[in-house]
Amino acid sequence: MKRIAVYCGSASPADTVYIETARMVGRTLAERGIGVVYGGGKLGLMGAVADAALDAGGEVIGVIPQLLVNAEVAHRGLTELHVVETMHERKAHFTELADGFLTLPGGTGTMDELWEAMSWAQLGYHADPVGLLNTAGFYDGLIEFVRHMGKVGFLRPQHQGILLIDSELDGLLDKMAKFEPTVPIVKMTREQL
């Protein structure tokens, strides 16, 4: 993987484990020679990932809607900053620029990005790994929900391995590097559907 899209919150929670993890992710990706593609913001976990990657000499590409540039939350010290009009364009740019997706803790925007990366993999719009870093058990409930979708039958058996999960970054990056794409819905037979 040459570049990973990192999805995470623009907030700074009181528990410093989240900011510390974001910094560690940015630094680790840079040290491994993996570029960061992210939402282009300077606040919260987003800013922490970007600053740590830049401080470690890494490439950091931000993709941010004009509305957020107008709100003065854009990070101006990045390797590249792509300004787009809509959130839809932003997510499409993530997919074009990155070879994988890594989700850290965040809120509704982060969930939107994660679900779209998973959905697009399931449909066949990309064949890149989708990772979830479960920092301090933040995603325990979501992980159980994804398992529940599979048990009930809303997530096909072929797609239950799309979301790669680990509580440690090294383990997650190893899983992402070994990821084998599944058969997307658009290539499944009627019997498989």
Side-chain angles (χ1 to χ4, degrees):
M1 292 177 290
K2 293 181 182 179
R3 292 183 185 142
I4 291 180
V6 178
Y7 300 144
C8 59
S10 60
S12 298
D15 189 337
T16 58
V17 70
Y18 300 112
I19 290 289
E20 290 167 7
T21 298
R23 288 183 183 129
M24 179 270 299
V25 167
R27 183 178 58 254
T28 301
L29 292 177
E31 289 170 352
R32 288 186 177 209
I34 300 171
V36 171
V37 178
Y38 86 116
K42 62 182 179 181
L43 305 175
L45 274 67
M46 290 174 64
V49 167
D51 288 340
L54 291 166
D55 289 347
E59 173 192 52
V60 181
I61 300 172
V63 184
I64 190 167
Q66 183 65 55
L67 186 66
L68 295 177
V69 173
N70 296 347
E72 299 184 7
V73 298
H75 194 305
R76 298 295 186 173
L78 306 176
T79 309
E80 295 176 24
L81 182 64
H82 299 245
V83 179
V84 297
E85 288 303 312
T86 68
M87 294 296 278
H88 296 294
E89 289 177 70
R90 179 193 223 181
K91 291 182 288 184
H93 270 61
F94 289 151
T95 303
E96 293 165 9
L97 294 168
D99 306 308
F101 307 89
L102 173 60
T103 303
L104 308 183
T108 55
T110 304
M111 292 300 89
D112 176 52
E113 292 162 342
L114 170 64
W115 288 120
E116 185 160 295
M118 288 177 62
S119 176
W120 284 20
Q122 182 177 301
L123 291 168
Y125 287 106
H126 72 77
D128 299 324
V130 180
L132 184 73
L133 188 60
N134 190 23
T135 301
F138 182 81
Y139 283 119
D140 287 350
L142 180 74
I143 293 165
E144 183 54 38
F145 178 66
V146 171
R147 289 184 183 132
H148 181 67
M149 287 191 301
K151 287 177 193 171
V152 171
F154 285 112
L155 188 58
R156 291 174 178 84
Q158 302 92 321
H159 302 134
Q160 291 178 19
I162 286 176
L163 184 61
L164 306 172
I165 303 163
D166 207 303
S167 59
E168 300 294 328
L169 181 61
D170 287 338
L172 184 55
L173 290 175
D174 288 346
K175 289 176 184 177
M176 292 175 72
K178 295 174 186 172
F179 175 71
E180 296 279 337
T182 185
V183 177
I185 288 174
V186 295
K187 293 187 178 179
M188 295 174 86
T189 64
R190 181 170 289 217
E191 292 76 29
Q192 291 173 311
L193 292 171

